[in-house]
Amino acid sequence: MANIAKKVSWSSRAEESGVAGERTPLFNGSEQPRLSRQLSGGGSVFQIGRLSTVDLEEEITSDEDSQRGRPKEIPHNEKLLSLKYESLDYDNIENQLFLEEERRMSYMGFRCLEISRWVVCGLIGFLTGLIACFIDIAVEELAGIKYQVVKQNIEKFTEVGGLSISLILWAVLNSSIVMLGAIIVAFFEPIAAGSGIPQIKCYLNGVKIPRVVRLKTLVVKVCGVICSVVGGLAVGKEGPMIHSGAVVAAGVSQGRSTSLKRDFKIFEYFRRDTEKRDFVSAGAAAGVSAAFGAPVGGVLFALEEGASFWNQMLTWRIFFASMISTFTLNFFLSIYHKNPGDLSNPGLINFGRFESDVRNSHCVFFQLYVVCGLLGALFNLLNYWLTIFRIRYVHRPCLQVMEAMLVAAVTATVSFTMIYFSNDCQPLGPEHTEEYPLQLFCADGEYNSMATAFFNTPERSVRSLFHNQPGTYNPLTLGLFTLTYFFLACWTYGLAVSAGVFIPSLLIGAAWGRLFGILLASITSSGSIWADPGKYALIGAAAQLGGIVRMTLSLTVIMVEATGNVTYGLPIMLVLMTAKIVGDYFVEGLYDIHIKLQSVPFLHLEAPATSHWLTAREVMGSPVTCLNRIEKVGTIVDILSNTSTNHNGFPVVVQPAKLCGLILRSQLIVLLKHKVFVELARSRLTQRKLQLKDFRDAYPRFPPIQSIHVSQDERECMMDLTEFMNATPYTVPQETSLPRVFKLFRALGLRHLVVVDDENRVVGLVTRKDLARYHLGKHGLEELQVAQT
């Protein structure tokens, strides 16, 4: 696992790690050394606390150990976590500067701030809708040109012979377009690969992912997803919209662009993690709304990922952003389709209207639930091993581009072969919905049914499976299409291209569900009593998607909103729950798998069920690097420059080691940059007092400590931290249970939790990584029993 994890990276650039100490790719959670230092106030060496991996036998006798049910060694399910991922500072730093600013602000000032938040959310929804509109129009136009060229070529060579030329043309076009998308991702912005949903899930969970919400990432993401879909890969453009909306939110809410080095001097109050993360939630919800026309589903998606951080007004603002997003997309698409005011395209994918006739179908839907849960587990398992292979052997950008081109060529070859050998010919009626019907070897007035599924964009293929009349597809066509597209989609997800897995999952499930409906009607004596196969396609699509991504509440609402019929709410809810239960028995959801492969300290909603025997004393990190309230500048510089540690929070103590506050690395860097030293403050009476604006101007790219010059004379100066430290940090006694510690982190969005003894002396520090590496997982109980024996 160590050899694998060292190469895993959502952003493969070493320079993005910030400080030198972050270049160490991984740390072992059970053996990470902590810095011990000499407190400048006295002369003795203080080691606050003790090692995080403790030998419980030193303090607890064997009888006490058996009584309390604690193992001799705390079991670990995930020992390796990446050092490059840090937590967001969601909790406000209530130092004297912050409190003075808040107290100076009038009631009208707070009202103006609230209005500004609504304005920002409106801008987020509007811009996200525009981006979705641009992607949709670009894909439709470019894909239309490509398919028309290939269609004309196929029709030409069908008559005169030489269809191999058409195959080569199709493969070359696909490979060339995908090559362009893969190059800009692999060489310019690797974080833009994939759908971006795992990264946004981590961000909403409280983890800072490098480069995930930058302008360059957005540009590469938008261009990359257009190339991926037009290039004929088994991908969708809906998933990346969530990432795009999040990037828009992060940029708009800050009132400046650090990439373009432009500061518009607006929304300066929002330049902190607390506000930024809330706006990113609105952006992610707006992306869901633009993708599926599901504003409520977008709100619930963001709620599922960061439920503990929310309040009522924030929920309303996110819903407002979602509604603006879908309305903007709807309005501009109506103009594009030359029907201004016809708001019938609420999202990038439109399932169409479904009738309410679902009688006699609920009893057989359950078989679909289980099968699609199994197929989802198989998809995730295959993709997991394929990702492991890519991590080991396909980690260079040039190899990633070549693999993407290979997949594009193979996809075109398989599609052409399936169409060529298919003899499923259907009559081409006056009301046909096929955008690019291929006759091939069919008789006049007929078209190749297999081409409807392959020779089209995935969104149109899904809609045809939902709404085409019974008899449009024969079982063999659907069976072969499901099998081939399943493996193509599994191979495609994880390439160095911008692409989503939502639509491929829906397409696989729709094909399988329609096949199930056709077979069910054929083996019963009265097939007419069963529902239309298109309804089974809908249930199969929901089941397959739920089996892969394992989302329940938000996905149920998204599917109901996309169908426009609440009658399907119950079967869709049941199918998603069943598919999740069945799939979780074998393997985790696809996004969770990729999050774990990246070694991200992701915290789930609840602490492990078998963790009540753990206390803060067992999970805390120690010894802790502490600072005196009035500290020597040289000591601070040495601590921040130490490459063997990567601390971002430092308890501030008074003799003898009693806690009086907490200060962050970023704050210390700003203080050093502005040389806020006691001696200089006394000698320069006109020195400007440091304000919160100075910290906000440096946010979010605080300079590394190596870029700050401190002379030898300045190293001897003292720094008073009283005004800048958080004087009321959250603390817990060392006997606090792990579930309680976990709830504090999730409910309050903490980055650091100080562990103190009965006399308020610092004995340890709990961080997100300390909690993440003690997540026992599905087999935690078995590991616990083995450890106890």
Side-chain angles (χ1 to χ4, degrees), residues 577-654:
M577 291 177 59
T578 307
K580 175 177 172 56
I581 293 171
V582 173
D584 283 345
Y585 185 79
F586 298 97
V587 67
E588 290 181 296
L590 185 64
Y591 299 144
D592 293 326
I593 288 175
H594 281 262
I595 288 172
K596 277 198 171 182
L597 285 174
Q598 303 300 330
S599 302
V600 179
F602 189 89
L603 296 183
H604 295 272
L605 287 176
E606 299 289 343
T610 57
S611 62
H612 283 81
W613 47 266
L614 283 173
T615 64
R617 183 168 57 88
E618 278 85 37
V619 301
M620 69 184 185
S622 58
V624 182
T625 303
C626 295
L627 298 173
N628 287 315
R629 186 164 57 185
I630 300 178
E631 187 59 272
K632 191 176 180 180
V633 173
T635 302
I636 296 176
V637 172
D638 291 340
I639 290 174
L640 297 181
S641 303
N642 193 304
T643 58
S644 65
T645 59
N646 191 35
H647 302 308
N648 284 282
F650 305 92
V652 181
V653 298
V654 292

Side-chain angles (χ1 to χ4, degrees), residues 44 73 85 447 551 610 694 698 722 741 777:
S44 58
E73 181 183 352
Y85 300 121
Y447 69 95
M551 296 161 58
T610 57
D694 298 299
T722 305
V741 173

Side-chain angles (χ1 to χ4, degrees), residues 501-635:
V501 76
F502 270 76
I503 297 303
S505 303
L506 291 173
L507 186 52
I508 295 168
W512 158 244
R514 191 175 181 99
L515 174 62
F516 183 85
I518 293 173
L519 294 178
L520 185 65
S522 64
I523 63 176
T524 57
S525 57
S526 54
S528 60
I529 69 171
W530 300 104
D532 177 32
K535 296 178 174 61
Y536 287 92
L538 172 64
I539 300 302
Q544 186 66 47
L545 181 57
I548 292 176
V549 301
R550 311 289 166 78
M551 296 161 58
T552 51
L553 178 60
S554 61
L555 192 55
T556 300
V557 177
I558 289 172
M559 295 295 293
V560 171
E561 287 186 281
T563 58
N565 194 332
V566 74
T567 307
Y568 292 90
L570 178 61
I572 288 175
M573 181 187 69
L574 293 176
V575 72
L576 292 175
M577 291 177 59
T578 307
K580 175 177 172 56
I581 293 171
V582 173
D584 283 345
Y585 185 79
F586 298 97
V587 67
E588 290 181 296
L590 185 64
Y591 299 144
D592 293 326
I593 288 175
H594 281 262
I595 288 172
K596 277 198 171 182
L597 285 174
Q598 303 300 330
S599 302
V600 179
F602 189 89
L603 296 183
H604 295 272
L605 287 176
E606 299 289 343
T610 57
S611 62
H612 283 81
W613 47 266
L614 283 173
T615 64
R617 183 168 57 88
E618 278 85 37
V619 301
M620 69 184 185
S622 58
V624 182
T625 303
C626 295
L627 298 173
N628 287 315
R629 186 164 57 185
I630 300 178
E631 187 59 272
K632 191 176 180 180
V633 173
T635 302

Side-chain angles (χ1 to χ4, degrees), residues 50 72 80 168 207 215 238 241 272 301 312 335 356 365 368 436 453 457 459 465 485 487 611 616 649 655 704 728 766:
R50 53 192 170 77
K72 296 180 180 179
L80 296 175
I168 294 173
V207 182
L215 178 61
E238 285 70 21
M241 275 308 306
R272 48 182 171 144
F301 170 81
Q312 185 178 11
I335 297 176
S356 300
F365 280 161
L368 270 178
Y436 313 105
T457 59
E459 290 82 4
L465 288 169
Y485 203 83
F487 289 105
S611 62
Q655 296 296 339
T728 56
V766 179

Side-chain angles (χ1 to χ4, degrees), residues 22 108 127 135 156 203 253 257 283 333 337 361 378 443 459 477 506 523 590 602 607 657 694 705-706 719 727:
E22 292 179 347
M108 186 57 64
L127 294 176
I135 292 175
K156 173 184 175 181
Y203 193 93
S253 64
S257 171
L333 283 184
H337 293 300
S361 303
L378 177 62
E459 290 82 4
T477 298
L506 291 173
I523 63 176
L590 185 64
F602 189 89
D694 298 299
I705 184 61
Q706 291 79 7
M719 181 182 292

